[in-house]
Amino acid sequence: MTSTSSTDHTAEVTDLQEHTRQDGETSAQNPANPRDDDHDGAGHIELAHSLEVDSSDTDSGLGDDYQSALTRSLSSSAVDYRYENGRRYHAYDDGEAYYLPNDDDEADRLAQDLQHHVWRKTLGGALYLSLIPKTGELSVLDVGTGTGIWAIEFAEEHPSARVLGTDLSPIQPEWVPANCKFEVDNAEADWVYNEKFDFIHGRMLCLGIHDWPRFFRQCWDHLKPGGWLEVQEVILPIFCDDGSAAPDSALLQWGDLVKEAAQKGGIDGAASLKFSEMLRAQGFMVMREEPIKWALGHWPKGKLQKEIGAYTHQNILQALNGVTMALFTKQLAWSREAAEMFLVEARKDINDPKKHCYVRL
């Protein structure tokens, strides 16, 4: 987990990545704002630096139960959806801005908030790691808010804060806390907010951001002095350390192909490896990094890692088609039928408990 700060901004960038300095969450703090009891955040938590296979996995270790109104700014293009390969997509930039669908199947996946649940488990139950004040009128921006769950829970936990969530698709719930609102917006367009923020948050934006230095520059320009930025990102592709999944296995091939297709679309699936460099170039000071891994399945040792793995397994199963279709058909020239046949084999790998694959963040 890395921390970054600037001479007049504090930015926590949570970048779940792994590189020669290991996977990490990137965060930032202004040296003029040392940590004390007046700051919120997860504090010291034990993160999954490595995953150890549980060779005695006869039990999952999870127990029997394992298994104000909405304010929107809606343009006509926000609901002028496109339909391809049996899926519905937003209409911004003919779908080139973001490759995942926004149809009922994707809404159902997001509505379960499995990914959000895994993030809270990973962060020790917290919503963020940034050392923002516990009290006071904070102005908060959640970029790529999705279902809005993070923004809603932050607003509930910080009733004095003003929280704005933005996304390409208007899929947020109708009833939210009075101090929370949502707008349809493209994070890669010019930001025209009338205010600066104390805290900017974004996560899992990797298939939607083409120009990370520009994104960080816009965050910098819209942070108040002493403000924090926290970005939580995955790094492509899928990994396996012990050889239990062969390099030519369908799942590992899928991860490689997603990364290749994204690259052809102008997206670097491993951009988080360079976040520290980008942030320093913008003026932030990187302060802290720790490795984080999410297993695909309940194969690792430890109840917490089994639970995270089980949720991640279910989340990626549900996301597989949505991640694949637009990227493979638009960027790799695959047919829908070829992609669907390939996904049959990838699902077999995901469901095989003997294959110890994981996601690096």
Side-chain angles (χ1 to χ4, degrees):
M1 182 172 319
T2 14
S3 305
T4 68
S5 86
S6 74
T7 55
D8 63 346
H9 291 57
T10 307
E12 163 135 355
V13 182
T14 315
D15 141 43
L16 288 115
Q17 58 180 319
E18 175 163 321
H19 43 55
T20 54
R21 294 166 303 183
Q22 298 182 314
D23 306 281
E25 210 173 77
T26 313
S27 58
Q29 181 185 12
N30 188 323
N33 294 309
R35 179 176 190 153
D36 56 42
D37 291 338
D38 293 329
H39 292 95
D40 210 342
H44 178 71
I45 57 176
E46 294 298 326
L47 302 177
H49 295 196
S50 62
L51 299 172
E52 187 176 352
V53 177
D54 186 353
S55 58
S56 61
D57 190 21
T58 56
D59 185 340
S60 72
L62 299 179
D64 293 336
D65 59 353
Y66 139 65
Q67 313 274 343
S68 114
L70 175 66
T71 302
R72 281 200 187 100
S73 154
L74 288 175
S75 65
S76 60
S77 62
V79 292
D80 185 17
Y81 300 126
R82 296 178 306 104
Y83 294 84
E84 294 177 359
N85 302 309
R87 304 301 300 261
R88 188 188 74 188
Y89 298 84
H90 71 85
Y92 274 113
D93 299 327
D94 195 29
E96 298 296 331
Y98 188 60
Y99 287 96
L100 268 66
N102 66 359
D103 53 18
D104 290 344
D105 286 346
E106 180 69 359
D108 288 345
R109 179 182 76 87
L110 294 173
Q112 296 181 50
D113 290 311
L114 295 175
Q115 191 166 267
H116 176 72
H117 186 67
V118 173
W119 275 112
R120 294 209 74 158
K121 287 286 184 181
T122 300
L123 300 182
L127 284 171
Y128 53 88
L129 297 178
S130 301
L131 304 182
I132 61 175
K134 294 179 180 178
T135 58
E137 295 185 3
L138 297 173
S139 180
V140 180
L141 172 65
D142 184 30
V143 182
T145 194
T147 64
I149 183 66
W150 187 94
I152 291 169
E153 292 187 0
F154 187 99
E156 290 173 341
E157 294 182 14
H158 300 79
S160 297
R162 301 185 313 278
V163 185
L164 170 64
T166 65
D167 201 274
L168 287 170
S169 297
I171 60 172
Q172 299 76 37
E174 292 188 12
W175 297 100
V176 298
N179 60 328
C180 178
K181 67 177 183 178
F182 298 107
E183 294 180 359
V184 173
D185 198 9
N186 183 354
E188 294 203 291
D190 291 338
W191 292 13
V192 293
Y193 305 115
N194 295 323
E195 64 175 325
K196 292 194 175 185
F197 300 95
D198 298 289
F199 184 28
I200 297 176
H201 173 268
R203 70 183 181 195
M204 306 306 267
L205 305 176
C206 64
L207 290 180
I209 301 297
H210 297 71
D211 188 345
W212 281 101
R214 183 174 186 270
F215 176 82
F216 290 141
R217 183 165 62 252
Q218 295 213 88
C219 290
W220 173 278
D221 291 341
H222 288 81
L223 278 170
K224 296 178 183 178
W228 286 81
L229 166 65
E230 182 163 327
V231 182
Q232 302 166 343
E233 284 306 324
V234 69
I235 175 173
L236 297 173
I238 304 293
F239 296 89
C240 178
D241 292 340
D242 63 3
S244 56
D248 61 352
S249 67
L251 180 57
L252 296 188
Q253 284 189 42
W254 176 81
D256 291 336
L257 288 167
V258 169
K259 184 178 180 181
E260 176 188 344
Q263 190 70 45
K264 289 187 175 182
I267 292 175
D268 183 359
S272 56
L273 297 178
K274 296 171 278 193
F275 275 5
S276 296
E277 175 185 342
M278 296 177 194
L279 290 163
R280 287 193 177 99
Q282 183 56 57
F284 297 114
M285 182 191 306
V286 178
M287 297 172 59
R288 180 182 174 191
E289 286 190 48
E290 292 187 28
I292 301 173
K293 298 177 180 179
W294 289 350
L296 296 181
H298 56 76
W299 57 262
K301 288 184 177 180
K303 182 177 180 179
L304 176 60
Q305 294 312 317
K306 286 181 182 294
E307 185 174 1
I308 287 175
Y311 281 118
T312 304
H313 167 265
Q314 185 64 26
N315 184 57
I316 198 169
L317 271 179
Q318 294 179 8
L320 206 60
N321 182 280
V323 172
T324 302
M325 282 302 167
L327 282 171
F328 281 34
T329 58
K330 292 171 76 74
Q331 300 299 339
L332 301 181
W334 284 38
S335 68
R336 174 182 175 181
E337 292 73 22
E340 288 178 339
M341 290 180 63
F342 180 72
L343 291 182
V344 170
E345 299 304 314
R347 291 188 184 96
K348 291 179 181 178
D349 284 349
I350 294 173
N351 289 322
D352 186 346
K354 295 181 180 180
K355 294 182 178 179
H356 307 141
C357 298
Y358 64 91
V359 179
R360 300 198 302 195
L361 303 148

